[in-house]
Amino acid sequence: MSGQTLRNNKLLQPIDRLALGVILVLGVLIGLLLLTGDRTAPRIRDFSWQDRQISADDTAFILTFSRPMNHASVEQNIKLDALVPDTKQGKVDNLKIDGKISWAGRKMAYTLLSPLPYGTAYKLELQGATDQLLAGKSKGTEIQPFTASFRSRDRAFAYIGVEAEEVGRLILYNLTQQQKTILTPPDLVVMDFEPYSDGEKILLSANDRQNEIKGLLTQQLYTITTGLSFGSSASQAPGKLELVLDSKEYQNLQFDLSPDGKTIVVQRVNRKNPAEFGLWILPHNTKPKPFTAPPGGNFLITADSQSLALLQGQGLGILSLPTGKQIDFMPQFEQVIGFARDNSLGAMMKFNRDPKNPTRSLFLWDNNKGTNKELIRTTGSILNCQFTPNKEKLYCLLTQVIKGETYREQPFIAAINLKDDKNSKEKPVQPLAILPEQQDISMSLSPDGLALLFDQIVTKPASETDALRKNGQAIANARLWLLPLVDSTTSNPPNQLQPEELLPGFHPRWLP
């Protein structure tokens, strides 16, 4: 009897009664929650572009929600707007941002149809969206209002200077901030350059200034920092120069940098044995070595950084990087002009050797389908072509022959429509701007596809003191011009585009 009383007393201890009470209360709350649902508001846990600087390579952002959402309510209420719309330098007001939405559980991906204009701040807002209905709920719970900001990269480009202390030096111009920075030292004359995809470095070919004046081919390859930083790491000071490839035993001629920045291909010739002429490859952080491919003509690394397009006789070879093994040979083409960013399309050229009427043809090569289509046939030259980010247009620098007693070519910029739309009223080839008569014009399409840069060069007979030369002639003067490609009031190409004069200089290239 005393043992039973002892057990009852233990069950009735205060701590036991408290525990039983807590269990009963929690049980009731759980039951109510199951019957009525969670009353807390859903929210966005993560926005992948929060406080970031995005580039044209950033094609989609992801929103992660705290619970499953009503898809239609989110898509109807999400807003993406430019904070500082501007009609200058190729940016547009009344900006329409088109994209498509896809879902995977609690994550929503918003994929842009075209890159966002550079040099602009943006705001993302979502309010009024609801979560999915649960049992016992007549209406979804509204999300906590969400606002976030991010911005696109500054609009910036590099070029070669022509005046005073800038002669022959590589210069960075931040168009968004209206800031100019001379990058290379005064003892180097820059011949050519290509920016890296992160915009933080530039690969360049440069000659010692005294050797350049004497006409000696001693150009070497360097990298130099821009002082820009679009990632999470801190930016390096501008103008930090590092030697990549010397010219002690070989002359370095043309070069190309892979889009991923991991491979450099250089055309070189042995100083002691000019018959030793060919391509060298410089994989990232390894020593340069001769490329196994046979010697050829013009070359270009493909947009996927995996192959090299090389002129071989009267055809175009596609060679694997870094092995040099031939993947394909296209006898119908004799020069590669450029590739779309995703490597799905290429612009190729063919010479039509009709003795009575020699012409050149520009072809659109579809890498996915293995087909090609002739876009234009001209008696003039096809100097440069660049795809817009959405691959709907091809902007080309062309020439047309001017009839007369002497042979003359008139350069012009044209837009070629690539959309296969039979109902479109847009002309297949639309001339945009007539340029002064000159050779070796440089053209560069901005990464957001909204503006073109080109140069205008005035030459003179070269003297022994001239450091800047083209085709054996000295550069007397040169100007950079910007051609906006979008009408700021209609978001369509206007009937007459008006180039804007920018700076003294030549050979401009936008930073990615």
Side-chain angles (χ1 to χ4, degrees), residues 414-435:
I416 301 177
N417 182 26
L418 302 180
K419 292 186 293 184
D420 190 11
D421 186 0
K422 297 180 180 179
N423 298 322
S424 175
K425 297 181 181 180
E426 190 174 348
K427 295 179 180 179
V429 181
Q430 180 184 10
L432 299 180
I434 304 297
L435 308 182

Side-chain angles (χ1 to χ4, degrees), residues 1-14 16-17:
M1 191 70 180
S2 60
Q4 185 67 33
T5 301
L6 182 59
R7 285 193 296 272
N8 290 338
N9 289 338
K10 288 183 178 180
L11 288 175
L12 296 177
Q13 292 295 320
D16 296 323
R17 290 195 297 270

Side-chain angles (χ1 to χ4, degrees), residues 36 49 54 74 77 104-105 118 126 128 133 150 153 169 284 290 327 332 358 368 379 402 409 439 501 507 512:
T36 62
W49 285 359
I54 64 166
V74 174
N77 288 282
Y118 274 34
L126 180 60
L133 295 177
F150 62 95
R153 290 183 178 181
R169 299 172 72 179
H284 185 61
I327 302 172
Q332 68 272 35
N368 296 328
T379 56
I402 302 174
E409 290 184 74
Q439 296 295 322
E501 186 174 349
H507 195 48

Side-chain angles (χ1 to χ4, degrees), residues 182-195:
I182 300 176
L183 297 178
T184 52
D187 60 328
L188 290 180
V189 175
V190 177
M191 315 301 294
D192 195 7
F193 64 92
E194 290 189 37

Side-chain angles (χ1 to χ4, degrees), residues 73-332:
S73 71
V74 174
E75 295 171 15
Q76 292 168 4
N77 288 282
I78 193 168
K79 293 181 180 181
L80 179 59
D81 297 307
L83 283 177
V84 188
D86 190 350
T87 59
K88 297 180 180 179
Q89 312 300 354
K91 293 183 287 184
V92 295
D93 54 4
N94 300 321
L95 180 66
K96 182 180 179 182
I97 302 173
D98 293 323
K100 57 183 181 180
I101 293 175
S102 57
W103 291 85
R106 300 181 182 183
K107 293 186 177 182
M108 186 204 80
Y110 189 98
T111 303
L112 300 171
L113 299 183
S114 296
L116 292 175
Y118 274 34
T120 306
Y122 297 90
K123 179 174 66 174
L124 180 74
E125 291 183 294
L126 180 60
Q127 56 184 355
T130 59
D131 61 3
Q132 287 184 353
L133 295 177
L134 299 177
K137 291 177 66 177
S138 59
K139 182 181 179 182
T141 305
E142 281 198 9
I143 193 170
Q144 292 180 8
F146 177 79
T147 302
S149 61
F150 62 95
R151 65 174 295 110
S152 53
R153 290 183 178 181
D154 286 351
R155 300 172 68 82
F157 60 88
Y159 65 97
I160 300 175
V162 295
E163 291 188 344
E165 64 173 1
E166 299 177 358
V167 172
R169 299 172 72 179
L170 186 64
I171 301 171
L172 174 72
Y173 190 75
N174 188 320
L175 196 59
T176 301
Q177 307 293 335
Q178 301 287 299
Q179 293 178 348
K180 181 169 66 173
T181 306
I182 300 176
L183 297 178
T184 52
D187 60 328
L188 290 180
V189 175
V190 177
M191 315 301 294
D192 195 7
F193 64 92
E194 290 189 37
Y196 282 80
S197 60
D198 58 10
E200 297 180 7
K201 290 193 304 181
I202 295 175
L203 177 69
L204 61 97
S205 170
N207 200 0
D208 178 85
R209 188 169 295 272
Q210 296 304 315
N211 290 342
E212 181 66 20
I213 293 174
K214 296 176 183 177
L216 301 177
L217 300 177
T218 60
Q219 54 262 36
Q220 305 186 120
L221 291 186
Y222 303 86
T223 61
I224 197 161
T225 56
T226 63
L228 302 175
S229 178
F230 303 111
S232 57
S233 59
S235 62
Q236 299 187 57
K240 182 181 179 182
L241 192 72
E242 290 188 7
L243 179 65
V244 174
L245 185 65
D246 63 41
S247 61
K248 295 178 181 178
E249 298 180 8
Y250 291 84
Q251 292 180 11
N252 301 313
L253 305 178
Q254 63 173 320
F255 68 92
D256 193 28
L257 173 67
S258 65
D260 64 5
K262 296 181 180 179
T263 306
I264 303 170
V265 176
V266 189
Q267 194 177 60
R268 310 184 83 194
V269 57
N270 193 311
R271 292 189 176 278
K272 296 181 178 179
N273 180 19
E276 187 183 335
F277 172 84
L279 300 180
W280 286 60
I281 186 169
L282 287 77
H284 185 61
N285 290 333
T286 59
K287 292 183 178 181
K289 58 182 180 181
F291 198 45
T292 56
N298 291 333
F299 59 92
L300 185 67
I301 299 176
T302 55
D304 62 1
S305 304
Q306 301 298 312
S307 309
L308 182 76
L310 173 67
L311 176 62
Q312 296 178 322
Q314 292 186 8
L316 196 65
I318 305 297
L319 311 177
S320 174
L321 290 176
T323 64
K325 181 180 179 181
Q326 186 156 302
I327 302 172
D328 195 6
F329 182 77
M330 296 180 284
Q332 68 272 35

